[in-house]
Amino acid sequence: MITITNFGKFDFESVPIDPFWNTGAEKEFKMHRIHAYPAKFPAFITTKALEYAKQQDLTVTTIADIFCGCGTTAFEAKRNNIFFWGCDINPVATLIAKTKSRKYQKGRLEKYLKAILNYFNSTPVIDLYYSANERLRYWYKRKQFNDLAHLKTGIFRETPNGSAYRLFFLCAFSNILKSTSVWLTKSIKPQVDPKKKPVNVIATFKEQCRLMFAANDEIEGLGDAVSEVVTGSFLCSDTPIPQVDMIITSPPYVTSYEYADLHQLSSLWLDFTADFRKLREGAIGSLYHEYNFKRDWKRLNNTGNRIVSLLLDRHKSKARSVAKYFLDMQKVAERSFKMLNQNGLALFVIGNTEYKKVRIDNAKHLAESLMSAGFSEVLTTKRKISKKILTPYRDELGKFSSDASGRKVYSEEFILIGRK
Ligand SMILES: C[S@@+](CC[C@H](N)C(=O)[O-])C[C@H]1O[C@@H](n2cnc3c(N)ncnc32)[C@H](O)[C@@H]1O
């Protein structure tokens, strides 16, 4: 870990890679694989962060992940028997995070699955396709749509209202929504694959439940620490925020994932919204924010100001989106400072990117924001991202490309630690 001094001259790119943060010692628990989620970080980051806190003589009794995503930190906190608080603006994220932070009785899981399948097989499937939400019709063939609707009714009928078991089966349901649709497999952007072969809904659901049951078997002896997962924006004053010893998080990337778009199938099926575009509101890093650029970009710190000025010459709308991202991240630094107990640590995993040859130095911008927010010390190190990408650029559709005018994807990222 390098302590950042002489901030103005500090060059993040020259920070050496620290192998301590590259890999974990243990195999990841199956619970981390119960549901796909873009940009989730490896589980061992939490273990390493706790090791680091111990080296620094910090006793951690409470952890927060302010962008908890699919609950990687939430699950690892539970594994270490530490109280966890997390929030995420994406309701699909918090559904997964909540599911991962609980333990389930094997017998009850089997009983509910049997009841759900029994309902599915013994009651007639109703044809709801033509009265369905237009967006859902766009993504499904009629048979798959009707089977999914029937399965969903079965889950609601056969599991207790408000119970963790209902969430468990809804999480299983959510994770089969892409494979049973015509969504192009493994695409990071919503795209139809007209040649995709239709799959059997109930067989896919059973397989998904088996995977999740096996994940639950693996955690039988784990701790019972309390976890609280909230759906809401970390930046919104309505989201109640506790005091904690440590924050372990990875912020959203700048303008690369539209989580609302990527999770539209789950959000529509689970009635989180009737129009998935509404869920873009307040999401940090989204391209779709309305704000007063002319007035607000003056509040950018030095690093933000320099990058946005460079971008303004090349791509005005990109410059606006990046400025909004930086302004939000400045607020994130302030709120993080407030929620930490004295001597507490905030750990961020953050990557840089490049757009039209302008380096978007997110790490430097966040480090400056942490300093301005009052952190007594900011430290950094670099880690290698394990899945090496052969070509470092992505085009406008997010596809890999060798065109250097696109968005550059680095194979390294930074660990930034602020000490209160
Ligand atoms: C890089 S992901 C975090 C992934 C997480 N570490 C995991 O392992 O799943 C960033 C998350 O920030 C969330 N997010 C974006 N804007 C937010 C906001 N204003 N408040 C809370 N969460 C937000 C996104 O929904 C996304 O889940």
Side-chain angles (χ1 to χ4, degrees):
M1 279 285 166
I2 301 174
T3 307
I4 304 177
T5 52
N6 195 1
F7 182 81
K9 294 220 170 97
F10 193 86
D11 178 14
F12 275 82
E13 291 310 312
S14 67
V15 172
I17 288 174
D18 179 353
F20 175 80
W21 296 95
N22 283 351
T23 47
E26 311 159 286
K27 207 171 152 232
E28 271 191 10
F29 275 71
K30 290 187 182 125
M31 203 45 110
H32 287 298
R33 296 200 302 270
I34 62 166
H35 197 296
Y37 201 79
K40 72 175 176 196
F41 63 22
F44 68 78
I45 296 281
T46 310
T47 317
K48 299 270 174 182
L50 289 171
E51 259 177 78
Y52 178 81
K54 207 168 168 190
Q55 285 165 20
Q56 302 300 308
D57 284 331
L58 176 69
T59 309
V60 180
T61 58
T62 46
I63 298 181
D65 186 345
I66 56 181
F67 304 112
C68 75
C70 69
T72 310
T73 307
F75 177 77
E76 291 296 308
K78 179 140 203 112
R79 205 158 83 73
N80 284 284
N81 222 357
I82 300 175
F83 170 86
F84 173 83
W85 180 89
C87 75
D88 200 289
I89 200 165
N90 176 3
V92 183
T94 52
L95 166 70
I96 312 166
K98 281 179 189 163
T99 306
K100 273 190 194 167
S101 342
R102 307 263 173 87
K103 287 200 283 186
Y104 308 85
Q105 286 174 27
K106 199 176 169 154
R108 287 185 75 182
L109 286 177
E110 294 285 358
K111 184 184 108 184
Y112 291 131
L113 176 61
K114 205 168 154 198
I116 293 165
L117 296 178
N118 185 42
Y119 174 84
F120 188 90
N121 292 323
S122 61
T123 51
V125 178
I126 305 163
D127 189 354
L128 297 168
Y129 190 67
Y130 295 104
S131 56
N133 179 305
E134 197 187 323
R135 193 76 197 156
L136 282 178
R137 276 208 315 265
Y138 173 79
W139 287 114
Y140 291 93
K141 300 251 163 68
R142 188 165 154 203
K143 160 97 177 115
Q144 274 69 25
F145 177 87
N146 284 328
D147 282 356
L148 283 167
H150 195 47
L151 175 58
K152 182 180 142 186
T153 309
I155 295 172
F156 276 94
R157 278 185 61 115
E158 302 299 339
T159 56
N161 193 4
S163 71
Y165 290 89
R166 178 171 288 177
L167 286 191
F168 181 97
F169 287 103
L170 289 178
C171 185
F173 179 79
S174 168
N175 200 40
I176 67 163
L177 293 173
K178 273 193 188 149
S179 60
T180 51
S181 73
V182 292
W183 188 293
L184 180 66
T185 310
K186 298 225 162 85
S187 168
I188 62 161
K189 302 270 159 164
Q191 212 176 322
V192 167
D193 175 2
K195 292 197 193 116
K196 191 165 163 186
K197 266 189 146 173
V199 301
N200 181 300
V201 165
I202 214 70
T204 313
F205 181 70
K206 273 196 223 164
E207 198 184 316
Q208 170 69 22
C209 288
R210 288 290 153 215
L211 184 147
M212 290 174 67
F213 287 9
N216 184 55
D217 288 348
E218 224 180 33
I219 60 167
E220 229 186 313
L222 291 193
D224 286 310
V226 175
S227 307
E228 203 182 312
V229 176
V230 175
T231 308
S233 170
F234 179 59
L235 296 181
C236 177
S237 49
D238 291 347
T239 307
I241 291 171
Q243 289 300 120
V244 297
D245 299 318
M246 192 165 188
I247 296 171
I248 304 172
T249 196
S250 58
Y253 294 167
V254 53
T255 69
S256 73
Y257 290 114
E258 289 291 342
Y259 285 93
D261 299 30
L262 290 178
H263 291 119
Q264 56 183 284
L265 304 182
S266 300
S267 303
L268 293 168
W269 271 109
L270 298 176
D271 301 315
F272 294 143
T273 180
D275 178 356
F276 73 93
R277 288 167 302 187
K278 289 241 158 46
L279 294 177
R280 292 172 183 159
E281 280 166 26
I284 299 173
S286 168
L287 279 172
Y288 301 94
H289 289 308
E290 299 274 328
Y291 77 109
N292 189 333
F293 173 74
K294 233 177 169 175
R295 182 193 65 202
D296 292 349
W297 87 292
K298 294 188 191 106
R299 288 191 286 107
L300 286 173
N301 62 21
N302 291 337
T303 312
N305 194 299
R306 183 180 49 78
I307 296 168
V308 170
S309 304
L310 282 172
L311 272 176
L312 267 176
D313 290 341
R314 298 161 205 230
H315 202 301
K316 234 185 177 134
S317 71
K318 195 76 175 179
R320 280 165 190 265
S321 307
V322 172
K324 176 69 176 136
Y325 174 81
F326 283 158
L327 288 166
D328 283 345
M329 289 306 293
Q330 287 173 207
K331 278 195 219 142
V332 165
E334 285 162 19
R335 286 176 84 81
S336 300
F337 182 79
K338 275 197 200 138
M339 80 183 290
L340 277 181
N341 292 326
Q342 201 52 41
N343 298 321
L345 296 173
L347 182 145
F348 299 85
V349 182
I350 189 160
N352 285 342
T353 179
E354 193 180 278
Y355 191 74
K356 296 223 185 264
K357 302 253 168 74
V358 177
R359 197 207 298 167
I360 318 286
D361 205 337
N362 301 314
K364 189 162 181 146
H365 173 264
L366 180 57
E368 188 181 342
S369 308
L370 293 174
M371 284 182 174
S372 311
F375 282 87
S376 64
E377 196 181 20
V378 180
L379 305 106
T380 190
T381 191
K382 206 191 261 173
R383 66 176 294 270
K384 219 171 171 50
I385 303 171
S386 60
K387 280 188 196 111
K388 262 198 112 213
I389 294 158
L390 294 175
T391 160
Y393 298 100
R394 283 182 193 252
D395 65 15
E396 289 293 321
L397 283 170
K399 287 193 186 139
F400 295 128
S401 107
S402 51
D403 176 2
S405 69
R407 177 166 60 82
K408 188 166 181 183
V409 182
Y410 287 87
S411 55
E412 296 126 11
E413 59 193 1
F414 296 90
I415 310 282
L416 272 188
I417 297 184
R419 186 198 305 275
K420 183 155 174 176

